[in-house]
């Protein structure tokens, strides 16, 4: 079994990005700038945004967090989105999800200028991605594909089972892996909460992408020998540690790892690859804007 080390891989990519940024700055270019809007006090969202800020600093980007209270109206958030769309210093920005219930997420995402939509959630970017046209690919699927490529994992002709059909992970990764492209050409099956006998599909899979948000859903007896497993799930489980929680993935790692040829750990797998993919998108947005 080989560990798909997202931490080491993302660190390597981050230092390549940092070198590219310094080269841009040396010829008079501007450092890429990423802004994150954080609405409310959700603990996980705060951690994700803090990690994104840290990654920006490591890559030589400038960054900023716009913090808004949980009581922010949809109109006030849309005004902030409009301000960032118009701000020439901002190359890309994200609105950290989830948003408070009274705000319509789709309306907010659709208000983002697609050229600054480095999360790749705007319908224009999603549509372009599906057509295989240049676009911002959303960070988690982009990170997964990059990880598979970095480890030279063959995808062509292989059967990939994606567990989960969300707009931000399941469906885009299923689309990317089925495209006629590098790190594509898979035969893809998507499973979700209405799928009957999921194990019937996972046992036949050469590659499994688990993106359910159900801790340790994928058990050892649900996979075949040699399977490649990418665990996207992150669930916080409360404990008595200093942090007060630990992270658990969607895969029962101890059972599945001995049968797998490659597997991601949680943490240290898809999470860091997601963040570095956001940096890649922001760098691309900055290059697009400066050229
Ligand atoms: P989501 O929007 O809640 O979608 C979950 C999907 O899993 C849905 O399609 C749901 O089916 C399906 N599902 C849930 N329980 C199931 C079950 N028991 N059997 C079969 N299917 C089931 O979640 P998400 O945003 O895609 O995120 C999934 C996980 O990935 C979460 O743990 C999240 O924290 C994590 N995540 C990690 C990263 C990262 O950077 N590592 C990024 C994003 C998300 P239905 O459609 O039928 O409801």
């Amino acid at each position: 079994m080989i560990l798909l080390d997202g931490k080491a891989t993302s660190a390597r990519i981050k230092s390549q990005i940092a070198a590219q940024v310094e080269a841009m700055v040396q010829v008079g270019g501007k450092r890429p700038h990423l802004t994150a809007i954080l609405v409310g006090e959700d603990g996980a969202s705060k951690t994700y945004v803090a990690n994104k800020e840290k990654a920006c600093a490591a890559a030589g980007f400038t960054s900023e967090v716009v913090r808004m209270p949980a009581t922010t109206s949809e109109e006030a958030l849309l005004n902030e989105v409009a301000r960032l769309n118009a701000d020439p210093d901002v190359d890309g920005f994200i609105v950290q999800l989830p948003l408070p219930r009274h705000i319509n997420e789709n309306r907010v995402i659709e208000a983002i200028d697609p050229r600054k939509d480095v999360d790749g959630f705007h319908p224009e970017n999603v549509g372009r991605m599906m057509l295989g046209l240049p676009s911002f690919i959303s960070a988690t699927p982009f990170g997964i594909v990059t990880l598979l490529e970095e480890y030279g994992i063959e995808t062509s002709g292989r059967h990939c089972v994606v567990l989960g059909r969300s707009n931000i992970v399941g469906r885009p990764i299923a689309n990317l892996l089925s495209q006629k492209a590098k790190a594509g050409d898979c035969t893809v099956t998507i499973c979700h909460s209405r799928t009957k006998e999921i194990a019937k599909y996972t046992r036949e899979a050469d590659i499994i992408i688990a993106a359910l948000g159900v801790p340790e859903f994928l058990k050892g007896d649900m996979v075949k020998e040699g399977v490649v497993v990418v665990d996207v799930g992150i669930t916080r489980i409360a404990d008595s540690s200093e942090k007060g929680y630990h992270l658990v993935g969607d895969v029962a790692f101890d059972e599945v790892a001995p049968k797998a040829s490659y597997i991601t750990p949680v943490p240290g797998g898809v999470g860091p690859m997601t963040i570095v993919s956001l940096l890649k998108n922001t760098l691309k947005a900055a290059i697009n804007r400066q050229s």
Side-chain angles (χ1 to χ4, degrees):
M1 180 277 289
I2 295 174
L3 208 59
L4 292 169
D5 188 341
K7 205 171 161 188
T9 307
S10 66
R12 206 167 51 241
I13 296 172
K14 216 183 298 168
S15 60
Q16 289 163 1
I17 295 173
Q20 208 176 332
V21 169
E22 289 318 310
M24 278 165 65
V25 171
Q26 288 212 338
V27 295
K30 180 180 97 55
R31 291 185 183 278
H33 183 93
L34 175 70
T35 297
I37 303 180
L38 179 59
V39 184
E41 297 293 326
D42 179 70
S45 293
K46 281 167 131 176
T47 307
Y48 296 146
V49 168
N51 289 340
K52 288 168 189 174
E53 270 191 291
K54 223 163 74 183
C56 280
F61 291 16
T62 54
S63 68
E64 167 203 14
V65 181
V66 176
R67 292 184 171 79
M68 304 179 85
T71 52
T72 300
S73 67
E74 186 175 302
E75 193 189 356
L77 180 55
L78 289 171
N79 286 340
E80 192 53 33
V81 167
R83 186 187 71 78
L84 295 174
N85 282 340
D87 186 338
D89 285 336
V90 174
D91 294 304
F93 67 97
I94 62 163
V95 179
Q96 184 65 45
L97 302 180
L99 291 171
R101 278 169 180 272
H102 64 276
I103 298 178
N104 182 323
E105 279 184 4
N106 287 336
R107 219 172 280 152
V108 173
I109 289 167
E110 284 190 54
I112 298 173
D113 182 339
R115 292 165 301 181
K116 293 191 177 189
D117 169 41
V118 288
D119 251 344
F121 293 163
H122 190 283
E124 185 174 316
N125 279 314
V126 176
R128 292 182 66 88
M129 182 271 291
M130 286 195 64
L131 294 170
L133 296 170
S135 64
F136 292 117
I137 299 173
S138 61
T140 302
F142 190 12
I144 295 169
V145 166
T146 306
L147 195 58
L148 296 176
E149 275 179 354
E150 288 284 327
Y151 278 83
I153 292 170
E154 182 59 79
T155 54
S156 179
R158 301 185 85 186
H159 181 203
C160 177
V161 171
V162 178
L163 302 177
R165 59 173 166 183
S166 72
N167 287 340
I168 64 165
V169 189
R171 286 201 282 176
I173 191 62
N175 182 275
L176 287 171
L177 288 170
S178 65
Q179 284 190 13
K180 202 167 190 165
K182 203 170 148 217
D185 286 329
C186 279
T187 303
V188 178
T189 302
I190 305 179
C191 298
H192 45 76
S193 68
R194 299 300 179 95
T195 305
K196 293 188 173 76
E197 296 180 63
I198 283 186
K200 194 175 80 187
Y201 301 97
T202 55
R203 277 190 203 114
E204 285 187 356
D206 302 310
I207 300 172
I208 300 174
I209 314 286
L212 309 145
V214 181
E216 304 196 331
F217 177 89
L218 190 74
K219 309 282 187 215
D221 64 358
M222 293 169 73
V223 303
K224 70 177 182 186
E225 289 288 338
V227 66
V228 175
V229 179
V230 175
D231 188 352
V232 186
I234 308 175
T235 304
R236 287 183 171 204
I237 306 285
D239 64 19
S240 55
S241 70
E242 203 180 314
K243 267 204 295 197
Y245 66 89
H246 63 280
L247 301 178
V248 178
D250 288 348
V251 177
F253 186 91
D254 292 345
E255 292 180 23
V256 174
K259 294 175 85 174
S261 54
Y262 295 87
I263 186 167
T264 57
V266 174
V270 175
M273 292 305 298
T274 295
I275 294 181
V276 85
S277 301
L278 180 66
L279 296 182
K280 279 166 88 172
N281 280 345
T282 306
L283 177 62
K284 181 167 145 182
I287 292 170
N288 288 347
R289 283 165 53 76
Q290 289 180 35
S291 61

